[in-house]
C-alpha cells in the first residue's frame, strides 16, 4: 500500500514534502468523504426541516438587521435582504469553520491516539462539511435572486472560482487554529471575540461605500472585505470582478493556505502526544 | 526472510508540564510575571533496538508504564521517535481499542464504512467485505440500527469484526484479548491464529503470560523504557516474573497490578507500600466500609459470616464503563488471597456520575481468623488508567468462632467422606457424583 510508504517520509518545509502531503490526502479521500457524510447525517438525521435549520440563523439576523437599517440607522440599501445575504452567507462559512476548528482535534482524540492517518484530514473535512452547508444555503439565495428579479449574467462563471478561493483561505486558517488548539485549549474564547470584531470590520451589514474614504484602503487589507465585494459584484450587479481584485484574492488564499499548511506540518507530529 | 520492522537506538521523550492542559491565558500571565515555564522531560523509551522479520509473532511484556504502549504507537506511526531510526515496511493495522471511531448516532452499516475508511479502505473494498464483516459480527438483524442502541457486547463484536477484516502486513494487538466474554475471546484467538498461519507479522502486547507463550515466537521485555531482554518467550517471561518480585523495585510494585486485583501485588517479602494511594482522580474512592448481615457497619467478622465491602465513590465527571476491583490481602506475610473486579463478574457499569457506592458481597466469608487488608481500585474499561487505587488503607478482622479450622488462610467449603475397607461398593462410587 502506497499510503504506508508515504506516511513516514514527511520532511516539513520542502516543496517535495508539500506535494507528498497533497498526494497523501488524496489517498485518504474516502475518509474525508465519510467524515463529511457522517457530519451531515448526524446533523440532519431526524429533522425533516433539514437545511431550513442552517438558514434559520441567517434569516433571523436578516430580520433584525433589516429593521435596524430601515428604521433605526436609516441607511437606504437597494434590496437589503439580498445585499445582506450575499455577504452574510460567505461570512457564516468562515465563522462556522473557524469556531468549530478549535474543537476538531480534541473531539477526535481517541482516533488520533489510536490510529495513524494524516491529521489534516480532520480540519480539511470540517471545512468541506461547512462548504456543503454553505452551498445549500446558497441555493436558497439563488431562488431569492429570481424572486427579486435580479438579472443573472456571464459573471456567474466567476462564482465557483471565488468560492474555491474562499475555501482555500478558510482551510489555511483552520489548519493553524486546529493545531494551536492542541496546545492552548482556551483559544476558542479568543476566537469568538476576534470573530465579532472581524464581522463589524467587514462590510457585511453595511455597504463598502459608506466606509470613509480615508480608511478605505485599510479595509482592503481585510481579505473578507475583498471576498464580500466580489460576491456582491457577481451576484447582485452581474458584474465580473476586475483582475486586480481576483489577483488579490489569489494571493491571499494561496498565501494563507500555504502558510497554514506549513505551520500545521511543523506541529502535526506532536499532536498525538499533546492532546 | 525480509525485515519488516527495524528500530535502531529509538528513544521517545515526553514533556511533562505542570498543567496537563495548558492555557494561553496562563502562559501570558506566566510570561508577564516572569515565571519560567516548568516542564520536565520524561524518556518513555530509551535506546530501543530490535528487528522483526516477516511472519514472526513477537510479544511485548513489561509492567504498566514500562513503555509498551508508546512502542506500539511508534510502530503504528502515531508517534515519531525523538532519537534513532525507525523503519516499518508494509501496511500496519492497529487492533487497539475497539470501536474508537464509532459514531453512536450512525447505524452499524454506516459505521462500517466510516471505520473502514479510517483504516485506509476504499469504498469498493469495504463494499466487497461488507457481507463478511456483518456475518462475522453476527449482527445481521441490528446492522441498520444506530450503534447507540447496541449493547457493549454488540459494539465490540462489530468493531472487532471490522478490524479483523483489514488485511494488513503487520497486526498490532494491544491487550484487546482481555475484552469480552469467553466465547468472544476464543473467536479473537482463533482469528489471530489464522493471521499467524497466513504468515502475517503480529506484534502482541499482553499481560496475560499464557497468551504470550501460546502465540509468540519471541518476546521483548521492557522495563522503565528500556529493552532489557529479548528472545525465547519462556526465558523472557521468567525474567519478567523475577523483576516483578524484586523488593527494591518500588516503582514496579505499585504498577505491577495489571488488572484490578488480578495481578500480582508482590511476590515475596514484606511490602513497604502499605497505605499507598495513586491514580488520576476522575473518580475518587471516598470511603470504604464493611457491613455485616444486618448491613450494620463493623470491622469484625466470623468465618462463614456474610461479608460486604461497600466502596463509596465520587465521580468528578461522567465516566463511561468504569471497573471496580479489589483484593483481599492477609496482613501476615502480605499474601494476596483474591482479586475480583466488576468486569470479571460481567457487571458492566454503563457510566458513573456524582456519588454512590458499589458493594462486593461474600455470602460466606471463607477467611480464617486474622487481620486482613483490602486493596480497592477503580479503573477505566480497558484497565489502562487508574482513577483511584488505595493499597492497604482499609483493614478488617476475622475473629474465631465461625469454624474450628485454624490452619492456613481460608476455609474452603468442602466435606469429608469416610469409606471403610469393608464397604467396597461405596469405595467405587464417585463421591462427586453419587448417582453414578
Amino acid at each position: 500500500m502506497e499510503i504506508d510508504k508515504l506516511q513516514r517520509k514527511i520532511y516539513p518545509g520542502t516543496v517535495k514534502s508539500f506535494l507528498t502531503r497533497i498526494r497523501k490526502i488524496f489517498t485518504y479521500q474516502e475518509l474525508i468523504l465519510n467524515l463529511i457524510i457522517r457530519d451531515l447525517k448526524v446533523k440532519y438525521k431526524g429533522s425533516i426541516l433539514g437545511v431550513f435549520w442552517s438558514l434559520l440563523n441567517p434569516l433571523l439576523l436578516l430580520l433584525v438587521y433589516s429593521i435596524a437599517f430601515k428604521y433605526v440607522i436609516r441607511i437606504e440599501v437597494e434590496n437589503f435582504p439580498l445585499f445582506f445575504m450575499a455577504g452574510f452567507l460567505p461570512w457564516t462559512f468562515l465563522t462556522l469553520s473557524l469556531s468549530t476548528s478549535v474543537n476538531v482535534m480534541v473531539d477526535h482524540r481517541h482516533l488520533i491516539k489510536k490510529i495513524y492517518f494524516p491529521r489534516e484530514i480532520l480540519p480539511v473535512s470540517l471545512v468541506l462539511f461547512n462548504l456543503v452547508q454553505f452551498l445549500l444555503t446558497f441555493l436558497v439565495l439563488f431562488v431569492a435572486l429570481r424572486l427579486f428579479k435580479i438579472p443573472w449574467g456571464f459573471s456567474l462563471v466567476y462564482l465557483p472560482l471565488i468560492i474555491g478561493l474562499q475555501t482555500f483561505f478558510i482551510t489555511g486558517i483552520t489548519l493553524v487554529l486546529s493545531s494551536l488548539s492542541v496546545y492552548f485549549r482556551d483559544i476558542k474564547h479568543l476566537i469568538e471575540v476576534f470573530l465579532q470584531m472581524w464581522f463589524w470590520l467587514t462590510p457585511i451589514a453595511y455597504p463598502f461605500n459608506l466606509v470613509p474614504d480615508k480608511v478605505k484602503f485599510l479595509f482592503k487589507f481585510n481579505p473578507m472585505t475583498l471576498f464580500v465585494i466580489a460576491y456582491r459584484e457577481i451576484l447582485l450587479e452581474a458584474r465580473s470582478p476586475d483582475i486586480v481584485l481576483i489577483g488579490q484574492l489569489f494571493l491571499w488564499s494561496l498565501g494563507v493556505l500555504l502558510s497554514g499548511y506549513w505551520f500545521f506540518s511543523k506541529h502535526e507530529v506532536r499532536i498525538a502526544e499533546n492532546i | 526472510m525480509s525485515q519488516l520492522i527495524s528500530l535502531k537506538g529509538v528513544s521517545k521523550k515526553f514533556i511533562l508540564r505542570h498543567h496537563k492542559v495548558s492555557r494561553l491565558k496562563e502562559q501570558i500571565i506566566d510570561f508577564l510575571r516572569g515565571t519560567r515555564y516548568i516542564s520536565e522531560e520524561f524518556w518513555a523509551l530509551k535506546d530501543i533496538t530490535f528487528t522483526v522479520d516477516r511472519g514472526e509473532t513477537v510479544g511485548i511484556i513489561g509492567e504498566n508504564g514500562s513503555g509498551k504502549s508508546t512502542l506500539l504507537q511508534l510502530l503504528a506511526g502515531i508517534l515519531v521517535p525523538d532519537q534513532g531510526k525507525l523503519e516499518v515496511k508494509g501496511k500496519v493495522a492497529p487492533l487497539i481499542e475497539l470501536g474508537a471511531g464509532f459514531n453512536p448516532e450512525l447505524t452499524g452499516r454506516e459505521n462500517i464504512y466510516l471505520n473502514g475508511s479510517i483504516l485506509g479502505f476504499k469504498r469498493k473494498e469495504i463494499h466487497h467485505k461488507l457481507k463478511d464483516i456483518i456475518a462475522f459480527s453476527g449482527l445481521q438483524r441490528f446492522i441498520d440500527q444506530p450503534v447507540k442502541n447496541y449493547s457493549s457486547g454488540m459494539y465490540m463484536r462489530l468493531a472487532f469484526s471490522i478490524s479483523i477484516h483489514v488485511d494488513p502486513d503487520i497486526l498490532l494487538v494491544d491487550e484487546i484479548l482481555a475484552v469480552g466474554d469467553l466465547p468472544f475471546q476464543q473467536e479473537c484467538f482463533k482469528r489471530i491464529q489464522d493471521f499467524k498461519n497466513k504468515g502475517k507479522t503480529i506484534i502482541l502486547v499482553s499481560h496475560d503470560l499464557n497468551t504470550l507463550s501460546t502465540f509468540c515466537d519471541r518476546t521483548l521485555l521492557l522495563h522503565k523504557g528500556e529493552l532489557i531482554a529479548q528472545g525465547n518467550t519462556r526465558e523472557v517471561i521468567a525474567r519478567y516474573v523475577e523483576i516483578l518480585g524484586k523488593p527494591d523495585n518500588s516503582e514496579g510494585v505499585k504498577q505491577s497490578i495489571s488488572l484490578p486485583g488480578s495481578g500480582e501485588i508482590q511476590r515475596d517479602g514484606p511490602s513497604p507500600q502499605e497505605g499507598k494511594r495513586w491514580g488520576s482522580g476522575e473518580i475518587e474512592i471516598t470511603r470504604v466500609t464493611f457491613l455485616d448481615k444486618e448491613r450494620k457497619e463493623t470491622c469484625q467478622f466470623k468465618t462463614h459470616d456474610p461479608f460486604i465491602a461497600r466502596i463509596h465513590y465520587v465521580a468528578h465527571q461522567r465516566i463511561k464503563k468504569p471497573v471496580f476491583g479489589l483484593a483481599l490481602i492477609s496482613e501476615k506475610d502480605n499474601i494476596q488471597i483474591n482479586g475480583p473486579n466488576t468486569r470479571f463478574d460481567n457487571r458492566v457499569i454503563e457510566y458513573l456520575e456524582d456519588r454512590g457506592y458499589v458493594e462486593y458481597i461474600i455470602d460466606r466469608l471463607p477467611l480464617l481468623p486474622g487481620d486482613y487488608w483490602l486493596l480497592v481500585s477503580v479503573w477505566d474499561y480497558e484497565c489502562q488508567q487508574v482513577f483511584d487505587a488505595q493499597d492497604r488503607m482499609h483493614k478488617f478482622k476475622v475473629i474465631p468462632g465461625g469454624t474450628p479450622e485454624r490452619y492456613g488462610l481460608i476455609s474452603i467449603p468442602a466435606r469429608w467422606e469416610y469409606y471403610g475397607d469393608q464397604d467396597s461398593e461405596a469405595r467405587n462410587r464417585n463421591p462427586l457424583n453419587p448417582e453414578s
Side-chain angles (χ1 to χ4, degrees):
Chain A
M1 269 278 202
E2 215 162 354
I3 307 163
D4 309 285
K5 267 185 244 150
L6 299 176
Q7 81 187 32
R8 266 169 267 277
K9 288 200 176 141
I10 298 126
Y11 310 101
T14 65
V15 178
K16 199 179 151 212
S17 78
F18 183 73
L19 293 176
T20 316
R21 283 179 151 266
I22 303 289
R23 264 177 62 206
K24 198 176 54 160
I25 293 188
F26 273 98
T27 57
Y28 273 90
Q29 51 179 300
E30 200 66 42
L31 177 55
I32 299 183
L33 192 70
N34 274 321
L35 285 172
I36 297 170
I37 294 174
R38 176 200 67 182
D39 287 346
L40 286 171
K41 273 187 181 153
V42 170
K43 179 150 189 190
Y44 294 122
K45 211 162 219 183
S47 81
I48 316 157
L49 295 172
V51 185
F52 172 77
W53 291 119
S54 333
L55 268 178
L56 191 66
N57 181 37
L59 284 176
L60 280 176
L61 270 170
L62 172 65
L63 189 73
V64 172
Y65 288 124
S66 299
I67 294 170
F69 278 84
K70 212 157 196 166
Y71 302 106
V72 186
I73 313 177
R74 294 197 190 110
I75 302 169
E76 274 304 315
V77 179
E78 204 188 337
N79 288 333
F80 182 78
L82 288 183
F83 167 85
F84 179 73
M85 285 309 209
F88 190 70
L89 294 181
W91 174 259
T92 310
F93 179 26
L94 175 97
T95 43
L96 283 181
S97 304
L98 264 50
S99 56
T100 46
S101 70
V102 291
N103 293 327
V104 72
M105 291 297 175
V106 179
D107 287 349
H108 291 88
R109 64 168 171 269
H110 7 270
L111 273 188
I112 293 173
K113 277 179 175 280
K114 296 293 169 196
I115 193 160
Y116 172 83
F117 56 91
R119 307 308 183 196
E120 59 266 45
I121 298 257
L122 293 172
V124 166
S125 63
L126 177 129
V127 172
L128 293 178
F129 162 67
N130 282 308
L131 173 66
V132 174
Q133 295 204 92
F134 169 54
L135 293 177
L136 288 175
T137 55
F138 231 61
L139 286 182
V140 183
L141 183 70
F142 273 103
V143 176
L145 285 174
R146 276 318 314 149
L147 291 178
F148 280 79
K149 298 198 171 60
I150 307 267
W152 289 356
F154 172 74
S155 64
L156 278 184
V157 301
Y158 284 96
L159 194 60
L161 175 71
I162 302 297
I163 293 177
L165 288 177
Q166 201 199 349
T167 308
F168 284 170
F169 175 70
I170 292 175
T171 307
I173 305 177
T174 306
L175 285 168
V176 174
L177 289 180
S178 58
S179 48
L180 275 180
S181 72
V182 173
Y183 302 92
F184 308 111
R185 297 285 168 85
D186 58 347
I187 200 166
K188 53 180 150 231
H189 307 298
L190 209 68
I191 284 298
E192 277 164 34
V193 180
F194 178 74
L195 283 173
Q196 279 290 325
M197 274 166 46
W198 198 359
F199 176 76
W200 288 109
L201 287 173
T202 308
I204 294 164
Y206 54 90
F208 181 60
N209 55 27
L210 281 192
V211 176
D213 284 340
K214 266 191 239 161
V215 290
K216 256 191 180 142
F217 78 98
L218 275 177
F219 267 63
K220 289 212 167 179
F221 279 113
N222 172 4
M224 277 315 282
T225 302
L226 305 176
F227 275 115
V228 170
I229 291 173
Y231 277 114
R232 283 193 180 139
E233 284 180 354
I234 293 170
L235 293 168
L236 306 177
E237 300 164 35
R239 199 147 55 87
S240 309
D242 67 43
I243 194 75
V244 179
L245 182 59
I246 290 185
Q248 279 174 309
L249 289 178
F250 246 106
L251 286 180
W252 267 111
S253 303
L254 293 183
V256 169
L257 179 65
L258 289 176
S259 30
Y261 221 143
W262 173 79
F263 187 88
F264 190 86
S265 61
K266 285 203 77 152
H267 292 91
E268 183 197 17
V269 294
R270 300 271 166 210
I271 287 176
E273 60 197 76
N274 282 298
I275 202 153
Chain B
M1 279 241 184
S2 64
Q3 220 172 59
L4 285 193
I5 299 173
S6 128
L7 279 81
K8 273 195 203 102
V10 166
S11 299
K12 177 72 201 165
K13 76 174 170 202
F14 292 109
I15 311 282
L16 304 175
R17 301 206 170 82
H18 55 149
H19 291 293
K20 188 154 191 244
V21 176
S22 67
R23 290 175 195 285
L24 194 56
K25 193 180 80 187
E26 279 147 16
Q27 294 231 324
I28 291 170
I29 292 171
D30 283 353
F31 177 76
L32 291 178
R33 281 193 187 143
T35 33
R36 283 300 295 259
Y37 201 63
I38 309 156
S39 60
E40 209 184 312
E41 276 183 9
F42 165 70
W43 288 90
L45 286 177
K46 285 170 255 176
D47 197 22
I48 306 288
T49 303
F50 68 91
T51 59
V52 177
D53 289 337
R54 186 182 290 278
E56 269 194 299
T57 301
V58 176
I60 302 176
I61 44 173
E63 300 136 67
N64 287 349
S66 59
K68 298 187 303 286
S69 299
T70 307
L71 182 56
L72 223 50
Q73 284 180 313
L74 284 169
L75 294 178
I78 296 164
L79 299 177
V80 287
D82 289 291
Q83 284 172 14
K85 208 169 160 223
L86 166 73
E87 258 186 279
V88 179
K89 290 180 206 149
K91 188 172 167 65
V92 183
L95 217 63
I96 331 178
E97 192 156 320
L98 297 173
F102 279 4
N103 187 300
E105 299 294 327
L106 301 182
T107 68
R109 190 187 300 274
E110 289 165 341
N111 267 308
I112 293 177
Y113 281 100
L114 178 62
N115 238 24
S117 60
I118 291 170
L119 292 167
F121 277 134
K122 299 259 174 284
R123 194 169 188 81
K124 249 199 230 148
E125 293 174 274
I126 304 171
H127 210 70
H128 204 67
K129 291 182 175 167
L130 191 65
K131 248 195 197 144
D132 287 345
I133 293 177
I134 297 174
F136 184 76
S137 71
L139 295 169
Q140 289 89 339
R141 277 177 58 211
F142 309 99
I143 203 68
D144 291 311
Q145 293 278 317
V147 164
K148 64 180 172 191
N149 298 339
Y150 282 21
S151 73
S152 53
M154 292 159 75
Y155 199 84
M156 259 161 20
R157 301 188 75 86
L158 184 63
F160 183 74
S161 186
I162 297 170
S163 317
I164 207 73
H165 282 87
V166 185
D167 196 29
D169 302 306
I170 303 165
L171 186 69
L172 305 177
V173 187
D174 187 6
E175 280 300 351
I176 140 188
L177 305 175
V179 181
D181 54 15
L182 207 62
F184 181 74
Q185 275 193 25
Q186 279 165 352
E187 258 172 88
C188 297
F189 280 130
K190 210 179 138 274
R191 291 308 287 224
I192 288 175
Q193 190 64 49
D194 287 351
F195 255 91
K196 196 167 147 64
N197 295 344
K198 271 199 253 169
K200 304 278 184 185
T201 308
I202 304 173
I203 307 287
L204 190 72
V205 169
S206 185
H207 285 285
D208 183 3
L209 305 181
N210 284 331
T211 311
L212 289 170
S213 19
T214 319
F215 286 110
C216 300
D217 312 319
R218 203 148 60 86
T219 296
L220 314 175
L221 172 56
L222 288 178
H223 182 62
K224 292 180 184 165
E226 284 173 84
L227 182 60
I228 58 167
Q230 57 173 315
N232 180 293
T233 301
R234 262 163 77 127
E235 284 161 23
V236 173
I237 286 178
R239 181 81 196 280
Y240 174 54
V241 171
E242 187 186 309
I243 285 181
L244 280 180
K246 255 188 208 159
D248 64 3
N249 179 10
S250 60
E251 287 281 308
V253 169
K254 115 180 163 200
Q255 293 180 335
S256 63
I257 308 166
S258 54
L259 278 170
S262 72
E264 300 302 316
I265 285 173
Q266 56 139 111
R267 299 271 171 158
D268 53 1
S271 167
Q273 303 298 316
E274 232 163 67
K276 192 152 184 138
R277 183 174 182 182
W278 68 97
S280 54
E282 285 87 345
I283 302 176
E284 260 183 70
I285 294 171
T286 48
R287 204 154 62 92
V288 175
T289 53
F290 302 104
L291 310 175
D292 64 11
K293 56 177 176 266
E294 271 101 36
R295 302 225 162 210
K296 273 211 229 96
E297 224 175 281
T298 177
C299 277
Q300 285 192 6
F301 297 86
K302 281 184 193 155
T303 311
H304 295 167
D305 272 354
F307 167 95
I308 299 164
R310 185 178 280 181
I311 303 163
H312 297 258
Y313 63 80
V314 52
H316 297 297
Q317 63 193 66
R318 188 185 165 106
I319 300 282
K320 275 192 197 157
K321 295 198 185 159
V323 175
F324 282 90
L326 58 77
L328 295 174
I329 299 153
S330 143
E331 197 196 24
K332 192 172 163 245
D333 297 337
N334 268 307
I335 292 167
Q336 182 184 351
I337 290 156
N338 67 346
N341 68 43
T342 50
R343 216 171 92 180
F344 288 157
D345 205 29
N346 275 329
R347 194 45 70 133
V348 177
I349 302 163
E350 281 308 325
Y351 63 88
L352 282 192
E353 260 171 342
D354 281 345
R355 290 167 182 283
Y357 57 81
V358 293
E359 287 186 342
Y360 174 67
I361 302 161
I362 305 178
D363 293 331
R364 271 167 71 85
L365 187 67
L367 300 178
L368 291 179
D371 288 330
Y372 294 90
W373 288 110
L374 190 71
L375 175 155
V376 287
S377 56
V378 53
W379 299 65
D380 72 328
Y381 193 66
E382 269 68 45
C383 300
Q384 299 287 328
Q385 188 190 357
V386 198
F387 298 124
D388 193 0
Q390 301 177 0
D391 188 1
R392 275 159 277 188
M393 286 169 67
H394 313 281
K395 200 176 194 179
F396 63 93
K397 207 180 191 64
V398 179
I399 52 171
T403 171
E405 272 188 61
R406 57 199 166 96
Y407 302 116
L409 289 169
I410 58 171
S411 158
I412 297 172
R415 63 179 196 279
W416 290 89
E417 296 258 356
Y418 165 72
Y419 306 107
D421 232 5
Q422 58 276 61
D423 190 355
S424 57
E425 203 186 312
R427 192 173 39 193
N428 295 332
R429 227 190 297 149
N430 178 359
L432 296 175
N433 189 4
E435 309 301 322
S436 69

